[in-house]
Amino acid sequence: MEASVILPILKKKLAFLSGGKDRRSGLILTIPLCLEQTNMDELSVTLDYLLSIPSEKCKARGFTVIVDGRKSQWNVVKTVVLMLQNVVPAEVSLVCVVKPDEFWDKKVTHFCFWKEKDRLGFEVILVSANKLTRYIEPCQLTEDFGGSLTYDHMDWLNKRLVFEKFTKESTSLLDELALINNGSDKGSQQEKERSVDLNFLPSVDPETVLQTGHELLSELQQRRFNGSDGGVSWSPMDDELLAQPQVMKLLDSLREQYTRYQEVCRQRSKRTQLEEIQQKVMQVVNWLEGPGSEQLRAQWGIGDSIRASQALQQKHEEIESQHSEWFAVYVELNQQIAALLNAGDEEDLVELKSLQQQLSDVCYRQASQLEFRQNLLQAALEFHGVAQDLSQQLDGLLGMLCVDVAPADGASIQQTLKLLEEKLKSVDVGLQGLREKGQGLLDQISNQASWAYGKDVTIENKENVDHIQGVMEDMQLRKQRCEDMVDVRRLKMLQMVQLFKCEEDAAQAVEWLSELLDALLKTHIRLGDDAQETKVLLEKHRKFVDVAQSTYDYGRQLLQATVVLCQSLRCTSRSSGDTLPRLNRVWKQFTIASEERVHRLEMAIAFHSNAEKILQDCPEEPEAINDEEQFDEIEAVGKSLLDRLTVPVVYPDGTEQYFGSPSDMASTAEHIRDRMKLSNQCKLSSFPE
């Protein structure tokens, strides 16, 4: 019977064990009757519960029952005393009925308990409260009977409830822990797992039960179980009545079973953790070798353009993102395995290392495949980027070559030609870069073995290789066509440069010839002071004419070259049509002026030669001069020369031009006249009238 079941009855305090003892060391059972009618059934239940608490050894010493009838009627007291015969006849040694003062005297004669001792089985005495100490020591009596023993029924009841709850829970927990611990010791792994699965979790928390037991034990060690903090100091009660040994025994058993249970839990937790790790490892391995590898197998192309490669890169990043989640699980699992290896048992080391090695191999292999794929796509993107740039350069070069050249001068042609060469050089550099990128990409593809994606990738690789080689060959052909067109354009532009050069040089020849003509008319005016000097001037003039002739011939050759170049270029020269007439006109003017200069110098030579001969003989031998016609000839030549000096050079277009300035011509004419005067003087001396 448990106190919690009859708690309402126990709270009524129909009977109680105060903890006091009689002189025989028997326990004192107190039945306090009240004015109200006592329920005998409830009293019987209370007595049954109280008498179940002491041990058999304690019961053998007998009980002293105090029936407090001071507030009750005699018939109730008599009924209670008679009921003790049926409840605890063998265990009651003495019944002390505490009577009210002078209330039952006349009725005692009607019933004498001492005469009924043999029939009742115990002695019954009527005693007043102040005489009760004759039978029981005051220190063993409660304050209600003038004793010093303090008793708090509610405190006792609460402690009893705690004790019974602890006893019940600890006993049940011990059974459960024993079942769990015994189940974990079975040899068959299957039985072990089944037993643990069925009984692994106790119905109550062992820590809570242990804490309750320790608190209860601490309380019991400080005072007796059914006593209180106050009152007179007592010697320890018998072990049979004390709950302390029972609590200590239960606590010891609980600690032992709980220690075993904790070890079972630790082993179970370790096994569960190992199984969870193994399960997660297999999840990672199965995903990486299954869906993860399938994703990589489906991604083998490199794209045929920048956009296609970028799309493949984006798809690969999505695949990497999915792999990253599993790699994060791998890192976590690796840390857990490392922790278990550091603190694990010997039997688990081999399995843990095997799991760790398997997980690492699969993850590293998959990570290598992802990195290889990423590098391959990056190389493909760079290759297509270089190919696109080169294609744009070739398009720009081709567009430049398709535009007809119409430069304004040779400098612009040179600039255009320089730009063309730079573009061609840039194309060469771009093509070289494309070859390097393409070869690097081909090398990466050639290193892609069949293990990379778990299948033979020869067909896919061939498509990629054909695409790369096709791009490089196409760019090479386009570059070769552009080079051929550049060669043609270069030749044409060089011819145009030569054409402009010829035209410029021809115009320069006209300028030079004009300058020679101008120099002839303005500076070549002297006729010499004597025949010798005049002959020297004539020789210089002929050389001067040779220079002019060379200039004219050079100009004609340049103009002929422009005609040939124009025919080759299929274009019309913008300057040769005007330059040739100018050249011929200036040359014609130079020729007329030059011939006039020659005539004047030849006449001057004849004049000076005749005059010098006459004048040389006249002072020495005037009589030697016998031909008067010589003087007439000198005069005639001199007059003709003077007349010629005054005549301008007339060009075919009707324009006129004089040699030198009028002062220059006057000086020359004055010198001729002086010679003519000397000749006349000599004539007069040789032929006087």
Side-chain angles (χ1 to χ4, degrees):
M1 185 180 298
E2 297 178 2
S4 59
V5 177
I6 59 173
L7 182 60
I9 298 176
L10 293 177
K11 286 182 178 181
K12 295 180 179 181
K13 198 179 177 181
L14 300 179
F16 62 89
L17 290 170
S18 63
K21 296 181 181 180
D22 57 20
R23 290 186 174 89
R24 299 186 307 277
S25 297
L27 296 178
I28 297 176
L29 175 64
T30 303
I31 303 176
L33 300 177
C34 56
L35 295 176
E36 298 177 359
Q37 184 67 30
T38 301
N39 189 322
M40 294 302 162
D41 293 334
E42 292 181 351
L43 178 59
S44 177
V45 171
T46 302
L47 292 175
D48 289 340
Y49 174 74
L50 292 177
L51 293 176
S52 66
I53 295 176
S55 63
E56 296 298 327
K57 183 179 179 180
C58 186
K59 292 178 181 179
R61 291 197 289 266
F63 290 88
T64 294
V65 181
I66 299 178
V67 180
D68 188 0
R70 290 176 294 178
K71 297 180 181 180
S72 182
Q73 298 177 358
W74 165 249
N75 59 345
V76 176
V77 173
K78 183 175 66 174
T79 302
V80 170
V81 172
L82 294 176
M83 184 185 67
L84 292 175
Q85 180 184 13
N86 298 324
V87 177
V88 283
E91 296 173 350
V92 177
S93 59
L94 176 65
V95 176
C96 296
V97 178
V98 181
K99 64 179 181 174
D101 294 338
E102 299 178 357
F103 184 70
W104 290 340
D105 292 343
K106 295 180 180 181
K107 298 180 180 180
V108 173
T109 56
H110 293 85
F111 185 83
C112 294
F113 287 109
W114 64 274
K115 294 181 180 180
E116 300 292 333
K117 179 178 179 181
D118 295 335
R119 185 173 63 86
L120 294 174
F122 49 79
E123 182 182 359
V124 180
I125 60 175
L126 296 176
V127 61
S128 60
N130 55 0
K131 301 293 180 64
L132 192 59
T133 55
R134 295 179 181 178
Y135 306 96
I136 302 173
E137 296 294 334
C139 63
Q140 301 295 325
L141 293 173
T142 62
E143 296 177 352
D144 295 336
F145 303 108
S148 59
L149 181 63
T150 302
Y151 173 75
D152 186 344
H153 184 70
M154 292 308 298
D155 180 69
W156 173 87
L157 183 58
N158 291 333
K159 293 297 186 295
R160 188 67 193 177
L161 289 172
V162 173
F163 171 76
E164 290 185 355
K165 179 182 179 182
F166 168 73
T167 303
K168 179 180 179 181
E169 290 181 349
S170 59
T171 303
S172 175
L173 182 60
L174 282 173
D175 294 339
E176 294 176 357
L177 292 179
L179 181 61
I180 294 172
N181 296 335
N182 293 335
S184 64
D185 294 335
K186 292 182 180 180
S188 172
Q189 183 67 21
Q190 183 176 1
E191 293 179 358
K192 174 182 177 181
E193 292 179 356
R194 182 169 61 250
S195 175
V196 172
D197 289 339
L198 293 175
N199 305 286
F200 187 76
L201 294 178
S203 59
V204 293
D205 181 21
E207 293 287 348
T208 303
V209 176
L210 284 171
Q211 182 179 359
T212 302
H214 284 298
E215 293 175 354
L216 180 60
L217 180 61
S218 176
E219 182 71 19
L220 292 174
Q221 288 174 342
Q222 292 178 6
R223 59 179 184 172
R224 61 190 184 183
F225 173 75
N226 52 358
S228 62
D229 294 336
V232 180
S233 175
W234 281 80
S235 59
M237 296 175 61
D238 293 340
D239 292 341
E240 290 81 2
L241 185 60
L242 293 175
Q244 179 178 343
Q246 187 176 356
V247 173
M248 293 178 64
K249 183 177 180 181
L250 287 173
L251 284 175
D252 291 340
S253 299
L254 275 177
R255 279 193 290 266
E256 179 184 358
Q257 291 294 335
Y258 185 52
T259 301
R260 291 182 58 195
Y261 169 74
Q262 286 179 317
E263 179 63 22
V264 170
C265 290
R266 191 185 68 83
Q267 294 293 336
R268 171 68 180 184
S269 176
K270 185 180 67 174
R271 188 69 239 173
T272 302
Q273 186 178 10
L274 189 61
E275 291 175 355
E276 290 177 354
I277 290 176
Q278 185 177 13
Q279 183 179 4
K280 290 182 179 179
V281 167
M282 294 312 300
Q283 287 178 351
V284 174
V285 170
N286 292 336
W287 190 90
L288 292 178
E289 292 183 344
S293 296
E294 286 298 328
Q295 289 178 347
L296 287 176
R297 291 190 190 102
Q299 299 293 318
W300 53 265
I302 61 173
D304 56 359
S305 63
I306 292 180
R307 181 175 297 179
S309 295
Q310 289 175 340
L312 290 174
Q313 271 192 333
Q314 184 177 1
K315 179 63 177 178
H316 184 72
E317 289 175 356
E318 295 175 359
I319 295 175
E320 282 185 333
S321 178
Q322 297 180 21
H323 279 74
S324 298
E325 298 177 0
W326 291 97
F327 288 154
V329 177
Y330 156 70
V331 172
E332 181 181 354
L333 288 174
N334 199 33
Q335 294 175 348
Q336 294 178 2
I337 293 175
L340 290 177
L341 287 174
N342 293 331
D345 296 332
E346 290 295 332
E347 67 266 11
D348 298 330
L349 292 180
V350 176
E351 184 176 1
L352 286 172
K353 288 182 178 180
S354 176
L355 287 174
Q356 188 180 43
Q357 187 64 41
Q358 181 185 13
L359 183 63
S360 298
D361 291 344
V362 174
C363 288
Y364 279 119
R365 182 169 61 249
Q366 199 74 358
S368 299
Q369 295 175 13
L370 288 170
E371 183 179 6
F372 173 83
R373 176 64 179 169
Q374 177 62 32
N375 294 336
L376 183 67
L377 290 176
Q378 183 62 34
L381 181 62
E382 294 176 358
F383 172 76
H384 289 124
V386 174
Q388 179 174 297
D389 293 341
L390 179 59
S391 178
Q392 292 175 353
Q393 292 178 0
L394 289 170
D395 291 341
L397 180 59
L398 182 62
M400 185 176 178
L401 293 171
C402 291
V403 177
D404 193 14
V405 180
D409 51 32
S412 61
I413 293 179
Q414 291 285 1
Q415 185 66 26
T416 304
L417 185 59
K418 181 180 179 181
L419 180 60
L420 197 63
E421 295 291 349
E422 290 176 352
K423 284 185 174 293
L424 184 59
K425 184 178 180 181
S426 178
V427 168
D428 288 335
V429 173
L431 184 59
Q432 181 62 30
L434 181 67
R435 288 171 180 162
E436 293 176 357
K437 294 293 183 181
Q439 187 59 47
L441 187 56
L442 290 174
D443 292 341
Q444 282 186 288
I445 293 177
S446 65
N447 293 331
Q448 182 182 1
S450 60
W451 61 265
Y453 300 119
K455 67 172 185 176
D456 188 3
V457 293
T458 304
I459 298 177
E460 290 82 353
N461 281 345
K462 185 177 185 303
E463 293 181 9
N464 294 331
V465 169
D466 291 344
H467 168 69
I468 296 169
Q469 292 177 345
V471 171
M472 291 193 294
E473 291 173 359
D474 179 63
M475 293 300 173
Q476 178 63 39
L477 291 175
R478 291 178 61 185
K479 188 252 184 183
Q480 187 62 48
R481 288 196 296 268
C482 287
E483 281 185 341
D484 296 340
M485 295 178 68
V486 167
D487 292 339
V488 175
R489 178 56 60 88
R490 184 188 296 111
L491 178 60
K492 182 177 181 180
M493 296 181 75
L494 291 175
Q495 288 178 341
M496 294 185 71
V497 170
Q498 188 176 4
L499 173 61
F500 276 104
K501 183 64 176 175
C502 289
E503 290 180 346
E504 292 175 1
D505 291 348
Q508 185 64 47
V510 174
E511 294 296 328
W512 288 343
L513 197 57
S514 298
E515 293 175 359
L516 291 174
L517 175 59
D518 189 60
L520 175 62
L521 293 174
K522 293 182 179 181
T523 61
H524 294 208
I525 56 177
R526 294 184 70 253
L527 297 179
D529 295 335
D530 52 33
Q532 183 62 33
E533 183 181 2
T534 304
K535 289 179 180 178
V536 172
L537 290 175
L538 181 58
E539 184 63 28
K540 288 183 178 180
H541 177 71
R542 286 175 177 155
K543 292 181 179 179
F544 183 75
V545 171
D546 290 341
V547 172
Q549 181 68 49
S550 298
T551 302
Y552 172 71
D553 293 341
Y554 176 65
R556 286 298 298 267
Q557 291 174 0
L558 290 173
L559 291 174
Q560 289 176 358
T562 59
V563 173
V564 174
L565 289 173
C566 285
Q567 291 176 351
S568 176
L569 294 171
R570 297 180 182 179
C571 66
T572 302
S573 174
R574 295 173 296 173
S575 59
S576 59
D578 177 56
T579 305
L580 182 58
R582 287 176 55 222
L583 179 64
N584 290 332
R585 183 174 64 252
V586 174
W587 176 247
K588 186 63 177 179
Q589 291 174 352
F590 183 87
T591 302
I592 294 173
S594 176
E595 290 176 352
E596 179 62 26
R597 173 69 173 167
V598 171
H599 290 158
R600 292 184 181 186
L601 289 172
E602 289 177 347
M603 289 177 65
I605 290 172
F607 172 76
H608 287 302
S609 296
N610 292 332
E612 289 174 358
K613 182 179 180 182
I614 294 298
L615 293 175
Q616 183 179 5
D617 295 337
C618 185
E620 299 177 356
E621 298 178 357
E623 67 278 0
I625 303 174
N626 54 13
D627 189 0
E628 187 177 359
E629 293 180 359
Q630 293 180 358
F631 293 101
D632 294 338
E633 183 179 357
I634 291 173
E635 185 176 0
V637 174
K639 288 181 179 179
S640 297
L641 185 55
L642 290 172
D643 291 339
R644 195 141 193 154
L645 290 176
T646 61
V647 177
V649 179
V650 181
Y651 296 141
D653 58 357
T655 58
E656 298 178 351
Q657 187 69 39
Y658 290 92
F659 280 93
S661 62
S663 60
D664 294 333
M665 291 299 99
S667 176
T668 301
E670 185 64 27
H671 180 68
I672 294 173
R673 289 190 185 96
D674 291 341
R675 279 293 180 100
M676 289 177 65
K677 288 180 181 181
L678 291 175
S679 177
N680 287 333
Q681 291 176 0
C682 184
K683 177 181 177 181
L684 291 175
S685 63
S686 298
F687 300 98
E689 293 180 359

